[in-house]
Amino acid sequence: MTHTILIVDDDEHIRKVTAIYLENEGYQTIKATNGNEALSLIEQHGEGISLVLLDVMMPGMTGIETCLKIRELYTMPIIFLSAKSEDMDKIQGLASGADDYVTKPFNALELLARVKSQLRRSTKYSAAPSTPKNLIEIGALTINTDTRQVFVGQTETRLTPKEFDILELLARNKGMVFSIEKIYERVWGEQYFGSDNTVMVHITKIRDKIEENPKKPIYIKTVWGVGYKI
């Protein structure tokens, strides 16, 4: 994969020299002379820009202001380039959403190392699979809260509406113990009466459907004297 790096600096010499370093390493570069031009290029290329090298001190919109604007919509790594080397300047830069801060005049090898490090991290995180918000995954158990489907491995198991509601309640609060009373009141929306064994019957049916061995459940655990938990 060829990465495209946006170089934003009002100094033409720095833009040219930085581009030479990066292109010699196989990166593609595009250049901007100020914050407004940088934002226009980012809007044009979007996530096609892998990383931004951003000068802090620019006429008009500063690097800090530009960084804040970028962070409203985009997550690509941003490395500040600045002649200001005080700790507070670095803290301000990082607090505005930048990922790193390189002080001018910079060593070309150090800058390349910082760029490669940020690209490695960015590529790693973007490649990591994410679980959609409508899916709850616990071991081999998958609960789709939009379609109200439950799968054990690749096999769908059909639950009644109340069975699904109980399972979803416990799964969304993994590790939390719910008493029979709390489960009943949350799922049925009514006051619980101590002699009612409705919840226990439903738990038994859910276990029969999702547990390999209902007598030794691995998903819905009984906390004796208290209630149930995932």
Side-chain angles (χ1 to χ4, degrees):
M1 176 183 178
T2 301
H3 293 288
T4 299
I5 297 175
L6 172 61
I7 304 166
V8 189
D9 202 299
D10 61 319
D11 187 318
E12 183 180 3
H13 176 72
I14 290 178
R15 292 197 306 273
K16 286 184 176 180
V17 172
T18 304
I20 290 171
Y21 292 149
L22 294 168
E23 288 167 8
N24 283 342
E25 290 293 314
Y27 299 118
Q28 294 181 349
T29 64
I30 52 178
K31 296 180 279 292
T33 60
N34 56 59
N36 285 323
E37 187 179 348
L39 293 175
S40 177
L41 286 170
I42 291 173
E43 184 178 354
Q44 179 182 340
H45 293 275
E47 296 296 343
I49 295 177
S50 304
L51 182 144
V52 180
L53 293 175
L54 182 59
D55 182 28
V56 174
M57 300 297 293
M58 294 185 294
M61 184 182 296
T62 67
I64 298 291
E65 293 169 333
T66 305
C67 183
L68 290 169
K69 287 285 187 181
I70 295 171
R71 281 291 176 255
E72 289 178 4
L73 294 173
Y74 299 97
T75 60
M76 74 277 285
I78 297 174
I79 300 177
F80 271 131
L81 306 177
S82 177
K84 301 174 75 174
S85 60
E86 297 295 324
D87 287 344
M88 284 307 299
D89 296 321
K90 295 180 181 179
I91 291 170
Q92 183 182 12
L94 295 171
S96 69
D99 299 277
D100 205 349
Y101 193 106
V102 177
T103 303
K104 296 178 182 179
F106 52 81
N107 178 289
L109 293 178
E110 178 189 358
L111 178 62
L112 289 171
R114 302 275 188 114
V115 167
K116 289 176 181 178
S117 174
Q118 290 300 328
L119 288 174
R120 278 196 303 270
R121 292 179 58 195
S122 175
T123 303
K124 176 182 176 182
Y125 291 143
S126 63
S130 58
T131 302
K133 292 181 180 179
N134 64 310
L135 295 184
I136 304 173
E137 296 181 346
I138 304 168
L141 183 68
T142 302
I143 304 165
N144 188 319
T145 59
D146 284 350
T147 61
R148 294 179 69 85
Q149 291 174 290
V150 176
F151 295 86
V152 180
Q154 300 299 316
T155 304
E156 182 178 1
T157 182
R158 296 190 177 279
L159 273 61
T160 67
K162 285 293 187 283
E163 289 168 0
F164 184 92
D165 291 342
I166 292 172
L167 182 61
E168 181 183 2
L169 172 66
L170 296 177
R172 283 193 182 279
N173 298 277
K174 188 170 66 172
M176 186 181 299
V177 181
F178 283 83
S179 66
I180 290 174
E181 178 183 1
K182 284 293 183 186
I183 293 173
Y184 188 89
E185 291 178 352
R186 292 280 291 271
V187 172
W188 275 266
E190 302 172 0
Q191 185 178 356
Y192 174 76
F193 296 97
S195 59
D196 194 324
N197 66 351
T198 301
V199 172
M200 289 183 286
V201 170
H202 278 73
I203 292 288
T204 298
K205 289 181 178 179
I206 296 170
R207 281 174 170 164
D208 287 339
K209 294 177 180 181
I210 69 170
E211 302 282 2
E212 185 175 347
N213 183 352
K215 295 184 183 299
K216 295 181 179 179
I218 61 171
Y219 295 115
I220 300 180
K221 297 283 190 179
T222 300
V223 181
W224 296 108
V226 185
Y228 300 97
K229 70 173 182 178
I230 290 282

